[in-house]
Amino acid sequence: MTTARYLTPSGRSIQRDYSKIDLYDYFNHKSGVEAIDKPYFEARTITDRKVFGGDGIQPDEAFKVDEINQIEASLLDPIFVFASEVVNGRVPGHENYRAGALTFGKRVTPGVLPVTEALLVAFTDFTLKNPSSKYSRSALKSESAFIKLRLRYNLIMASFGAVSANQVLTEDDAQVAKAVETLPRAAQLAQLAAKARLQANR
């Protein structure tokens, strides 16, 4: 249990104000984001960057995450079922995807178990043959990029485990790509801070 506020070295509070929400919302992380970076007080970093504290921290690089839409969410189960059929060698013409002995921790490259157009067609046919299917061929075609990604995720999971499978999702994650893109800026800020500390200690 925290009975105080956490502050960064510059004196900036990194916590939100939970005094106006009830216990249920607190434990379910429900709080308005309107007050993030609300300038209750101003602080300065060692490099004289102006930052505000008092109700959480707004990231330097704001990035809108694409959320899974309704059709994509509903496709997760059919993709999993089809991938299970594939890795067990029950989809004719795609026996090369059959999973052998599980090899944990393999660093997968794009050439490892790629989802071909033929496999995508096989998934479409498999899904449309299901009497309870609620998809049209055009709807599945419009979600082909998502289907390919999630199919490969499941195929990699069956052969190499969760760490390798999560790598597939990470490498296709736009938020992660943005973070990698901004890493040089973080390095510059760290260098400036180290230089400022050196000058302050002289």
Side-chain angles (χ1 to χ4, degrees):
M1 178 180 289
T2 300
T3 57
R5 287 191 175 275
Y6 288 101
L7 305 175
T8 66
S10 64
R12 183 188 197 188
S13 172
I14 63 172
Q15 290 166 303
R16 292 186 185 175
D17 179 10
Y18 293 107
S19 62
K20 298 179 181 65
I21 62 173
D22 61 28
L23 197 61
Y24 175 84
D25 287 339
Y26 173 81
F27 280 109
N28 286 283
H29 305 288
K30 303 225 172 158
S31 61
V33 295
E34 309 81 30
I36 291 181
D37 249 8
K38 185 177 178 183
Y40 288 133
F41 60 86
E42 181 184 309
R44 297 261 178 182
T45 67
I46 195 166
T47 57
D48 205 36
R49 244 171 99 223
K50 186 191 294 184
V51 292
F52 298 104
D55 207 13
I57 293 179
Q58 181 73 21
D60 289 336
E61 294 287 340
F63 188 83
K64 189 176 185 309
V65 181
D66 289 331
E67 294 183 0
I68 292 180
N69 62 39
Q70 195 171 356
I71 187 169
E72 289 170 347
S74 70
L75 280 168
L76 291 174
D77 283 345
I79 290 170
F80 174 79
V81 171
F82 176 73
S84 298
E85 294 293 297
V86 172
V87 298
N88 285 295
R90 291 195 289 264
V91 178
H94 301 283
E95 290 80 5
N96 56 313
Y97 288 101
R98 187 176 185 135
L102 196 64
T103 308
F104 288 105
K106 178 180 173 67
R107 177 78 183 171
V108 295
T109 60
V112 176
L113 297 178
V115 175
T116 62
E117 287 302 316
L119 188 64
L120 188 62
V121 169
F123 167 76
T124 301
D125 293 342
F126 176 87
T127 305
L128 294 178
K129 278 178 190 171
N130 187 332
S132 62
S133 175
K134 52 193 172 184
Y135 311 105
S136 65
R137 191 170 291 274
S138 61
L140 293 176
K141 187 176 181 180
S142 69
E143 296 295 342
S144 59
F146 176 82
I147 294 167
K148 278 186 170 183
L149 174 66
R150 288 292 172 160
L151 263 179
R152 186 161 183 259
Y153 168 82
N154 283 290
L155 296 174
I156 295 289
M157 176 76 80
S159 291
F160 306 114
V163 172
S164 299
N166 285 330
Q167 180 196 326
V168 171
L169 297 183
T170 300
E171 289 179 350
D172 197 69
D173 192 307
Q175 190 174 21
V176 172
K178 183 65 176 176
V180 171
E181 181 190 317
T182 57
L183 278 175
R185 185 179 168 203
Q188 288 170 354
L189 287 172
Q191 287 168 357
L192 286 171
K195 188 177 177 182
R197 281 191 205 95
L198 230 111
Q199 289 173 344
N201 292 331
R202 283 179 183 170

